[in-house]
Amino acid sequence: MDAGQILQERGLISRGQLENVVASNGDATTLVEKAVELGFVEEAAALTALGEEFGLDYIDLRETEVDLSLLKGFPPKLIHRENLFPILRENGQLVVATSDPFDLYPIDEVSAAMGVSVVPVLAARTEISKLIKRHLGVGSETVDGLMELTVDDDVELLDDIETDGSELSEMAQEASVVRLVNEILLEAIDSRASDVHIESQVTGVVIRYRIDGLLHSQPVPAEINRFQAAIISRLKIMARLNIAEKRLPQDGRIKLKVSGREIDVRVSVIPMIHGESLVLRILDKGAMVFELRSVGLEEDTYEALHELIQLPHGIILVTGPTGSGKTTTLYSALIEINQPDTKIITTEDPVEYQLEGINQIQVHTKIGLTFAHSLRSILRHDPDVILVGEIRDLETAENAIQASLTGHLVFSTLHTNDAAGAFTRMSDMGVEPFLVASTVEAVMAQRLVRRLCKHCKEAYVPQRADLPADFPFDELDARPLYRNTGCRECRNFGYAGRLGIFELQPTTDSLRQLAHDRVSTWEIKKEAQKQGMRTLRSDGWRKVLAGTTTVDEILRVTKGDLNFSKPR
């Protein structure tokens, strides 16, 4: 009796659903996975039913304590090739998890290899795979010489690659290296990583993923070091970089399709003292949602910003460090005002996401197409709204101001610590203060904080001594705050995803006067707060009180607002 018949007889799927599954994938080994993927049956229920039929127990690996000492001496090829994992030793017998009750021959191989009696139990294939990656390292199956397997076709390159026929390029095209690089990329995407750091250290290769803004080291087997040159070469070939050049930094881009989703990967290669190091910035087009209401704006901040982006002309600036979500906020604002009767043109370096109905220009500094140059051309293209990726120099700033003075609404970014610093930053570039004061309509500073995992966040009643002095105690009202704990759903981080905290500073008449008089950032911020501006810190406290993030997160990314005494 095959899996489909068992599930149908037990009433877990209907005949029609079974026929649908078989039409999609008739292999009995993967029939359960396909039925689960199509939403016809819960995986736990299906595996429990199959286990009862074959006399096997089903275990939930997320709730099971695994004896990792059993990995010593366990045949690694069987772990990777057959997706097995040793769980515990009980009454002299070895309990091993498998996801396939139809093929227990690998269990006999384990018994013969280890000389012990083996008891198989059923577990979800994905959970077994997670255990393998967590405890044996990303790409561990590759270094165990299992590359007689087919190269994983979940990763599809959208651009043809070119090789120079050298020995290094041929090595980079070997199936083992291709699979290893694909495994690194797939694991990063599955982990929601924004960046992958592949670093050449004195001890060998170090791989770290940046997840929700923080770097996390990935376990990798020591044997991976012999693949180091091939991994780097493979990625450089994919990004159309010069694999022979190892002395100068290089930048490139990889276009992938992963499980039907388009992924852009920006590649940065820099030579270090122990070899080349790479950083891969992952841009998952399918996972991005550009909606101004969903970036974390409080309702009153959203209403104020929505009003500002409807202005006919002027400059609206978004400030913050690299990776603080400025591009996402600006894209969301553009989409909100994008209408058939509005011509929107952007100039970016690089164009991170392609937006429907919006004209986007890719800056190419090497051939002279800078922000300033493209902005001059944009003004002859009859736009209504312009986005300048970043104001980096006086020429770009002056062109942006000229655009705003000639009836255009201009969006751009600056690298300043807070909203008030934008005025002094532009003046320091050489822009006349009266021009800054008359054209900048608003500045919004932002940061990203990690969002508490909704599955495991824990309520607690804080003690006053445990909270910083600028925490709004009067708004606490004996309500609980929340802290991170960690669970399987969030990979034991306690956080899942991020949201923005914001400091919106509309330019009032008094602020224009201060900017015109070229006063200090401190005085501008003090005046803005008197007029009701909520700082990054205070907006962060609102997120804490709402239970979406923690006190520690706000302390990590913001400075306190208490000390307004003028420095000597």
Side-chain angles (χ1 to χ4, degrees):
M1 186 180 295
D2 65 23
Q5 291 174 312
I6 295 169
L7 297 181
Q8 187 183 349
E9 284 190 2
R10 291 175 177 261
L12 294 175
I13 61 174
S14 67
R15 182 180 182 83
Q17 289 174 329
L18 177 58
E19 290 174 354
N20 193 333
V21 173
V22 172
S24 303
N25 192 344
D27 184 356
T29 303
T30 59
L31 187 144
V32 171
E33 294 173 44
K34 193 65 183 177
V36 171
E37 180 187 325
L38 293 172
F40 295 155
V41 64
E42 292 289 333
E43 188 172 30
L47 289 176
T48 300
L50 294 177
E52 289 173 356
E53 187 72 27
F54 290 96
L56 303 176
D57 290 333
Y58 165 75
I59 62 170
D60 185 348
L61 289 180
R62 295 174 298 179
E63 308 296 335
T64 303
E65 190 171 337
V66 177
D67 184 356
L68 297 177
S69 66
L70 297 174
L71 287 170
K72 292 181 180 178
F74 196 93
K77 288 187 178 181
L78 294 177
I79 291 178
H80 301 298
R81 189 180 68 208
E82 306 295 347
N83 211 48
L84 304 179
F85 204 91
I87 303 301
L88 56 92
R89 193 182 290 274
E90 191 174 56
N91 300 325
Q93 296 179 310
L94 182 64
V95 178
V96 176
T98 177
S99 60
D100 185 6
F102 293 92
D103 182 13
L104 296 181
Y105 177 72
I107 299 295
D108 295 334
E109 285 190 74
V110 173
S111 181
M114 300 190 68
V116 295
S117 176
V118 177
V119 177
V121 293
L122 289 181
R125 172 176 286 273
T126 54
E127 293 301 326
I128 296 175
S129 297
K130 286 179 182 178
L131 275 180
I132 293 171
K133 288 174 182 176
R134 187 179 307 125
H135 299 297
L136 296 179
V138 176
S140 52
E141 68 272 35
T142 302
V143 298
D144 283 325
L146 299 179
M147 289 309 100
E148 68 274 8
L149 301 176
T150 306
V151 174
D152 196 333
D153 59 1
D154 278 348
V155 177
E156 176 190 348
L157 272 172
L158 296 182
D159 290 332
D160 294 333
I161 61 175
E162 300 173 0
T163 60
D164 58 9
S166 66
E167 183 180 349
L168 191 57
S169 68
E170 293 302 315
M171 185 191 305
Q173 296 302 99
E174 290 180 3
S176 57
V177 177
V178 171
R179 186 178 176 88
L180 177 51
V181 169
N182 288 355
E183 181 69 19
I184 292 170
L185 291 169
L186 284 169
E187 179 67 11
I189 294 165
D190 186 53
S191 302
R192 298 179 297 102
S194 60
D195 302 85
V196 179
H197 294 241
I198 302 174
E199 301 168 347
S200 299
Q201 304 284 1
V202 65
T203 54
V205 179
V206 175
I207 297 179
R208 297 192 288 173
Y209 294 161
R210 188 176 294 280
I211 303 171
D212 293 336
L214 295 183
L215 282 171
H216 300 273
S217 296
Q218 299 301 303
V220 291
E223 294 89 344
I224 204 173
N225 291 327
R226 63 189 173 94
F227 287 87
Q228 179 175 351
I231 292 170
I232 293 171
S233 296
R234 169 65 181 170
L235 286 165
K236 289 169 76 173
I237 289 170
M238 292 169 72
R240 296 171 168 269
L241 301 178
N242 182 1
I243 65 170
E245 179 56 76
K246 299 182 179 181
R247 301 164 302 167
L248 296 172
Q250 297 186 70
D251 294 304
R253 195 166 192 167
I254 303 171
K255 292 184 178 180
L256 303 172
K257 183 171 280 188
V258 178
S259 302
R261 301 196 337 249
E262 283 194 24
I263 307 287
D264 269 9
V265 182
R266 281 162 38 196
V267 181
S268 172
V269 186
I270 297 180
M272 306 288 184
I273 59 172
H274 298 297
E276 291 176 292
S277 289
L278 288 80
V279 173
L280 314 177
R281 167 63 60 87
I282 297 172
L283 304 172
D284 188 347
K285 296 180 179 180
M288 286 304 299
V289 177
F290 296 114
E291 187 177 326
L292 205 53
R293 283 190 178 276
S294 66
V295 297
L297 292 163
E298 299 291 335
E299 186 60 31
D300 54 350
T301 308
Y302 167 78
E303 294 294 342
L305 182 60
H306 179 75
E307 218 173 284
L308 287 164
I309 63 177
Q310 307 288 335
L311 292 173
H313 55 79
I315 298 176
I316 296 176
L317 298 172
V318 179
T319 76
T322 302
S324 60
K326 300 188 298 295
T327 300
T328 301
T329 299
L330 286 172
Y331 278 1
S332 300
L334 290 182
I335 288 173
E336 184 129 331
I337 61 175
N338 186 24
Q339 299 293 336
D341 59 357
T342 303
K343 174 91 167 188
I344 301 176
I345 305 180
T346 76
T347 175
E348 307 168 60
D349 184 21
V351 174
E352 294 192 358
Y353 297 95
Q354 296 175 25
L355 306 176
E356 186 70 29
I358 293 175
N359 304 276
Q360 295 171 274
I361 299 172
Q362 169 72 57
V363 166
H364 288 288
T365 308
K366 290 180 181 178
I367 61 172
L369 184 58
T370 61
F371 282 124
H373 186 194
S374 59
L375 189 48
R376 285 197 299 272
S377 301
I378 287 171
L379 291 177
R380 296 191 291 270
H381 218 68
D382 190 28
D384 298 297
V385 178
I386 301 169
L387 166 65
V388 183
E390 183 184 345
I391 294 179
R392 296 175 178 170
D393 51 43
L394 174 60
E395 188 181 6
T396 307
E398 287 179 337
N399 286 342
I401 286 172
Q402 184 62 35
S404 71
L405 291 172
T406 53
H408 304 89
L409 181 61
V410 180
F411 293 89
S412 192
T413 69
L414 272 180
H415 286 289
T416 62
N417 290 325
D418 54 20
F423 294 108
T424 52
R425 176 80 182 95
M426 290 187 72
S427 295
D428 289 343
M429 284 182 185
V431 181
E432 290 293 341
F434 76 89
L435 287 174
V436 178
S438 61
T439 56
V440 175
E441 296 295 337
V443 185
M444 187 166 75
Q446 71 176 78
R447 299 289 188 278
L448 292 176
V449 295
R450 291 181 292 172
R451 189 191 296 269
L452 275 166
C453 173
K454 62 183 180 182
H455 299 283
C456 66
K457 67 179 184 178
E458 179 183 70
Y460 73 102
V461 178
Q463 299 296 317
R464 192 179 185 97
D466 296 333
L467 297 174
D470 62 335
F471 188 87
F473 296 100
D474 54 330
E475 297 180 35
L476 197 54
D477 295 331
R479 80 176 87 172
L481 299 183
Y482 290 85
R483 57 190 166 203
N484 60 308
T485 54
C487 66
R488 293 279 184 177
E489 297 292 333
C490 61
R491 296 173 176 250
N492 289 317
F493 296 148
Y495 299 95
R498 290 187 290 176
L499 75 158
I501 57 174
F502 302 91
E503 179 177 288
L504 179 59
Q505 177 185 281
T507 309
T508 61
D509 289 343
S510 59
L511 290 179
R512 290 189 199 279
Q513 186 61 51
L514 291 175
H516 178 274
D517 295 341
R518 204 167 183 169
V519 302
S520 67
T521 298
W522 175 84
E523 290 188 61
I524 293 174
K525 183 170 184 176
K526 187 176 180 181
E527 177 62 25
Q529 283 190 256
K530 282 181 182 177
Q531 296 178 15
M533 182 191 76
R534 186 165 56 246
T535 64
L536 287 168
R537 183 84 152 193
S538 57
D539 192 51
W541 293 142
R542 291 182 73 171
K543 305 292 195 295
V544 171
L545 290 168
T548 54
T549 191
T550 63
V551 172
D552 289 342
E553 273 296 283
I554 303 306
L555 294 176
R556 181 176 69 86
V557 301
T558 65
K559 289 175 62 178
D561 292 328
L562 280 184
N563 185 13
F564 282 108
S565 57
K566 194 169 183 178
R568 295 177 183 176

